[in-house]
Amino acid sequence: MSDVYAQPTTGVDATDVRALASYTTLRMGGSAGRIVPGNSAEEIVRAVREAGIRDEPVLLLAGGSNVVIGDAGFPGTVVLVRSRGLKVVAEDAETVTVRVEAGEPWDELVAATVANGWSGLECLSGVPGSTGATPIQNVGAYGQEVAETITGVEAYDRANDTVGRIDAADCGFAYRSSIFKYSDRWLVLSVDFRLARSPLSGPVRYAELARALGVEVGDRVPLADARATVLRLRAGKGMVLDAADPDTRSVGSFFTNPVLDRAAYELFREGAAELGEAPSWPCPGDMVKLSAAWLIDKAGFGKGHPGPGGVAISSKHTLALTNRSGQASTADLVALAREIRDGVHSRFGVTLHPEPVLINCTI
């Protein structure tokens, strides 16, 4: 994330050096007990250890693009993940494996892989935040997920006070989830990605992207074309950070797409029959994934739907909840999220769950 997004802006008290709103894309959140920069893996581990000695809670904060921090802030130590670096650790005629420090800005990494002719991350262009955050929620977009290319994660194990490598098979990757997401045991320090040596993208899987590229699903395109088209599509939805666009003052998609078992899905179809066929995708175990954006829209919450204090659904994307005024509180955002969640459940009997990490707040 560029420096402009790490400085106080409208709605942030620039005199409060501990104001966490300064470090989040939502521009929300109270103050930290203390803020400590971690410019290397060693500094990050040391800061966490020292906080443990003081018996203080710890929050790691990097790009701040997938976190909602309560108005009361965080009463412990916030470690800013600012480690940088990328190096090739293995290669052969067909692949290259790169090790990337947790604080490396994600889109800068994707740009570098495209420039080097390494295929596998191009459809994740424009995703805000840091590289270390990507395995935590198994970041995915436009038909790619990081779990497809991650071979391992270096992490600090707070329970055993050790640093070690966790193989991808042991990371528990699932839809927007991993072993790291709901546990503070492991702190991600670096991530290894195995990428194909190819000037072409992987097979285009996402229908919207295929249409925008003018190709068929399953075709491959030049890496630069895939990246440019994804960036254009994301910008059209307010999903590429832009200080001049209040729709980007968000955490991206606020709710995950719900996954139902077959019985619940058939019950949903029966109740929503008059609205036509809802978008759905088959999942392993005879499960079915629905579109959260479709559910929200059909429940009466369209683009631009307002909430209290100047929060609103994005004017470009139904899944993004935005701090459009720049002055809203986290309580305002939570109120809007609850209204949407409850409205969708009342209409369809389906419960939406938040995608970002919630710190000292809940919906």
Side-chain angles (χ1 to χ4, degrees), residues 254-306:
F254 193 90
F255 295 104
T256 58
N257 291 325
V259 179
L260 309 182
D261 61 33
R262 181 60 58 175
Y265 173 64
E266 294 302 334
L267 188 63
F268 159 77
R269 285 188 69 193
E270 181 180 344
E274 77 277 9
L275 297 174
E277 192 67 25
S280 64
W281 300 269
C283 293
D286 199 29
M287 307 290 280
V288 181
K289 181 165 65 177
L290 300 177
S291 165
W294 186 93
L295 293 168
I296 292 168
D297 182 66
K298 298 302 182 183
F301 303 100
K303 295 174 183 176
H305 178 87

Side-chain angles (χ1 to χ4, degrees), residues 126-148:
V127 174
S130 68
T131 297
T134 61
I136 294 174
Q137 67 162 12
N138 185 18
V139 165
Y142 293 100
Q144 286 183 340
E145 288 183 336
V146 293
E148 298 168 350

